[in-house]
Amino acid sequence: MKLQRRITFHFFIQLVILFVFAFFFFLFLFFVVTNLLIREELDTNTVTGLVETIPTVSVIEDDEMELDKKWSKLMAENKMWMQVINQNGDVIYNEHVPKSLKQSYTLNELLRIEETRELGDYRIYPEYDSWFNGKYYFLFGIQDHDAHMLKEWFESYHHQGLADKNRLPGLEKKLQELDGYVQIYKKGELVQTIGTEHEENVRQLDIIERIYEPGKYPTEVKVYNDSETDSSWLLYLPKKESRSLAWPFSKGTQMLLIAILTSLFFTVLISVWNGYRYGRPLLLFANWLERMGKGNYGEVFTEKEKKKVFKKQGNTRHRYRLYQEVFQSFYLMAEKLDHAEREREILERSRAEWMAGISHDLRTPLSSIQGYGHMLESSKYNFSAAELEEIGKVIRTKGEYMLQLVNDFSLVFQLKNRGVTLKKNTIEVNHFVQKAIGKFKEDYTLSAYSFEFFGFAEPLYITLDTKWFTRVLDNLMNNAIKHNPPNTDIVVRILGTDEAVNIQIEDNGIGMDEEAVQNLFNRYYRGTNTSEKTDGLGLGMSIAKAIVELHDGDIAVASEVGKGTSITIVLPLDDGLAKEGSTA
């Protein structure tokens, strides 16, 4: 069975199972949850429940309103009043309304009420309704004694916005009687708590949520803000219980019909949602995996698939947004696979170049040795003692060159595989480097080159293997000499930082181009000539880099054609080591 058919069959079975489950589930929940939600809303937040429910159950015709007595009774129990205002601003219905209230309102007055949610001493809960009865504006009012009490407490107990410590016992006693507590915020930070907290880690948006959705919390919050002291007092009180409302529906057939339709609707909706959200992306992923199996790493999606998944601006379409991170992971995986493929190709070329370089270096001395061997083997030549001595010297020199080349080649792989054991000692850098390069200054055969050393003003101590690190300096110095003409200035500097030591070897020679700099440490990079000195042999820079890395250091090259080259070795500094324990 094809993947598309399997997905279709899977979601068809899911549709059937989901429909059966959803039908009985919603049938049960409809009878239970609806009643519980209404009861819970009225029990935990009666005011909000009445404000949201009364406009939907009220019957208004020609500005004449009828309201069930149970709602009037609940409002009376909660000390609420209600006014209903028509489009002309006239009050068409009053319930428990104080005599001081108006029977008609201007637009400005209504807008002010909407903005401040206050009317005189009353807290107003406005509700606009235009569902069945036309357009009417409901005003529910309640005198918030707790908020008024909090204001009085602030005026009586505060000092510069905070609770006065001298009068604090009186405030704590009142809070204890109410089983509440007060939090004081100043400049957005909680600075004082009075009373016993019933909850911990109340965040800022939790407080805002308590005001808008108080039914979610066991306590209700009252707020008083004082602009003069830039402080806010928050009073937390346990919620008051109120009467619950009887079941709002009376006909069982209506509830059964609603449950069936609701179950069917959600079943179809979820199935369609599953099909678009899960089915189509899976087909895209399967196509990509098939292309990946063929080695086509560079194409995650075809142009047709991209139009399905992405908008013109490059954003993911809504139906595929769930898999946005997966798409990104696929692209990242494709890039990595493509990069790995390129790296493999580069490695193959590099290995071929290494072998070609080694073959080139071996071929030249072997040709010389082979040529002299034929000459010695032949009876055509009568060599003098001096000539035989010269031939022997050439054969020995070429043999030593080949042996050194093989040893360096083996050493490179040992260094790369951490097959070399270091014997580290603590040394003083200035003394060590100056001694290591001193032999170049004393070598009369290098008198055409200028050598200078600039040490650091203070002793610097590092831990390294002196034998191997001497070879690093030798390779770098020989490289600077070998590849630059006479009269080149070579300068060695020691620089220190709080955490590292920098050894810089600079010359003002011919320099290198960008390609040479990039490949200097990465491969067997130079055409060799056995007439040159044998130090380095094209592997010297790779050996130097590997030894530096074994010492947890780093090496960098900066060069410009015609201006010279600068090589910097960075090694970690041993500040904690005592100078008495150092060795040169």
Side-chain angles (χ1 to χ4, degrees), residues 84-97:
V84 183
I85 303 170
N86 64 13
Q87 296 190 67
N88 299 322
D90 299 323
V91 177
I92 66 167
Y93 186 84
N94 291 284
E95 190 73 33
H96 308 303
V97 174

Side-chain angles (χ1 to χ4, degrees), residues 274-470:
N274 281 339
Y276 276 90
R277 202 165 182 85
Y278 299 111
R280 290 192 175 186
L282 290 176
L283 294 175
L284 296 177
F285 299 154
N287 292 336
W288 183 82
L289 291 172
E290 183 180 355
R291 289 192 291 270
M292 185 179 67
K294 297 178 180 179
N296 189 8
Y297 305 125
E299 186 179 10
V300 178
F301 297 124
T302 63
E303 291 299 324
K304 184 178 180 180
E305 291 172 341
K306 288 180 181 178
K307 292 180 180 179
K308 288 183 179 180
V309 176
F310 302 105
K311 299 178 182 178
K312 293 182 178 180
Q313 298 82 0
N315 299 325
T316 307
R317 295 187 183 276
H318 181 73
R319 68 172 65 103
Y320 298 103
R321 196 164 296 169
L322 176 65
Y323 291 93
Q324 186 170 355
E325 294 80 7
V326 180
F327 293 150
Q328 294 174 355
S329 299
F330 267 48
Y331 275 105
L332 182 61
M333 185 188 304
E335 290 178 1
K336 289 184 177 180
L337 290 172
D338 192 43
H339 179 72
E341 182 66 18
R342 291 196 301 269
E343 287 290 328
R344 187 189 65 80
E345 293 176 356
I346 292 173
L347 181 62
E348 290 293 332
R349 290 197 301 270
S350 177
R351 183 170 62 180
E353 290 171 358
W354 271 69
M355 296 306 298
I358 293 295
S359 299
H360 179 275
D361 269 356
L362 289 174
R363 187 180 298 112
T364 303
L366 280 174
S367 298
S368 299
I369 293 173
Q370 186 181 31
Y372 282 121
H374 283 301
M375 293 174 64
L376 293 174
E377 184 182 23
S378 173
S379 58
K380 297 180 181 180
Y381 304 97
N382 294 319
F383 296 103
S384 64
E387 289 174 335
L388 290 173
E389 182 180 353
E390 181 63 26
I391 291 173
K393 181 178 179 182
V394 170
I395 293 175
R396 179 185 56 80
T397 301
K398 299 300 182 181
E400 290 176 352
Y401 171 84
M402 293 170 61
L403 180 61
Q404 182 65 33
L405 181 62
V406 172
N407 290 337
D408 282 354
F409 187 67
S410 176
L411 177 60
V412 168
F413 283 96
Q414 289 180 8
L415 291 170
K416 287 183 178 295
N417 295 311
R418 301 278 176 168
V420 174
T421 302
L422 300 179
K423 297 180 180 180
K424 293 184 178 181
N425 293 310
T426 302
I427 60 99
E428 201 284 311
V429 180
N430 293 288
H431 180 74
F432 171 74
V433 175
Q434 187 176 20
K435 181 179 178 181
I437 68 170
K439 57 188 175 185
F440 294 94
K441 299 180 67 173
E442 296 170 0
D443 191 341
Y444 292 107
T445 63
L446 302 177
S447 59
Y449 296 87
S450 172
F451 300 94
E452 289 188 80
F453 173 78
F454 296 96
F456 193 68
E458 299 177 0
L460 299 173
Y461 295 90
I462 57 176
T463 302
L464 51 76
D465 186 313
T466 55
K467 171 188 172 183
W468 286 109
F469 217 82
T470 299

Side-chain angles (χ1 to χ4, degrees), residues 449-519:
Y449 296 87
S450 172
F451 300 94
E452 289 188 80
F453 173 78
F454 296 96
F456 193 68
E458 299 177 0
L460 299 173
Y461 295 90
I462 57 176
T463 302
L464 51 76
D465 186 313
T466 55
K467 171 188 172 183
W468 286 109
F469 217 82
T470 299
R471 177 158 187 174
V472 172
L473 297 176
D474 287 348
N475 286 356
L476 297 180
M477 292 294 291
N478 283 321
N479 198 64
I481 295 168
K482 184 192 311 181
H483 298 290
N484 288 306
N487 299 320
T488 297
D489 297 327
I490 301 174
V491 180
V492 180
R493 291 186 177 89
I494 307 297
L495 303 174
T497 65
D498 293 338
E499 299 179 353
V501 174
N502 294 351
I503 303 174
Q504 292 183 349
I505 300 176
E506 300 178 351
D507 65 68
N508 61 350
I510 61 175
M512 294 179 286
D513 58 22
E514 185 65 23
E515 181 184 1
V517 172
Q518 293 296 325
N519 292 283

Side-chain angles (χ1 to χ4, degrees), residues 91-209:
V91 177
I92 66 167
Y93 186 84
N94 291 284
E95 190 73 33
H96 308 303
V97 174
K99 295 181 180 180
S100 59
L101 293 186
K102 294 182 176 182
Q103 294 300 309
S104 180
Y105 295 88
T106 65
L107 176 61
N108 290 346
E109 290 173 332
L110 294 177
L111 292 175
R112 191 178 303 111
I113 292 172
E114 182 69 24
E115 180 180 2
T116 62
R117 303 298 172 98
E118 293 180 353
L119 181 59
D121 296 331
Y122 297 96
R123 175 67 175 169
I124 301 299
Y125 297 85
E127 187 76 9
Y128 177 75
D129 181 71
S130 61
W131 187 245
F132 290 111
N133 303 312
K135 299 178 180 179
Y136 292 95
Y137 194 56
F138 290 74
L139 294 181
F140 296 87
I142 185 171
Q143 195 165 21
D144 197 342
H145 297 286
D146 294 334
H148 184 70
M149 178 179 62
L150 179 60
K151 180 180 180 182
E152 292 180 348
W153 287 357
F154 175 84
E155 294 173 351
S156 300
Y157 294 101
H158 94 94
H159 176 69
Q160 295 182 354
L162 302 178
D164 192 341
K165 294 182 179 179
N166 297 326
R167 288 172 283 180
L168 197 57
L171 179 57
E172 290 177 340
K173 183 177 180 181
K174 292 184 177 183
L175 288 169
Q176 187 176 7
E177 294 174 354
L178 297 174
D179 193 24
Y181 64 96
V182 170
Q183 289 183 337
I184 301 176
Y185 286 80
K186 218 169 185 186
K187 296 182 180 179
E189 299 292 333
L190 177 62
V191 295
Q192 194 174 12
T193 300
I194 303 100
T196 303
E197 285 188 75
H198 304 300
E199 303 170 78
E200 297 180 357
N201 300 325
V202 179
R203 295 169 292 184
Q204 294 184 13
L205 285 185
D206 290 339
I207 297 172
I208 302 300
E209 190 176 22

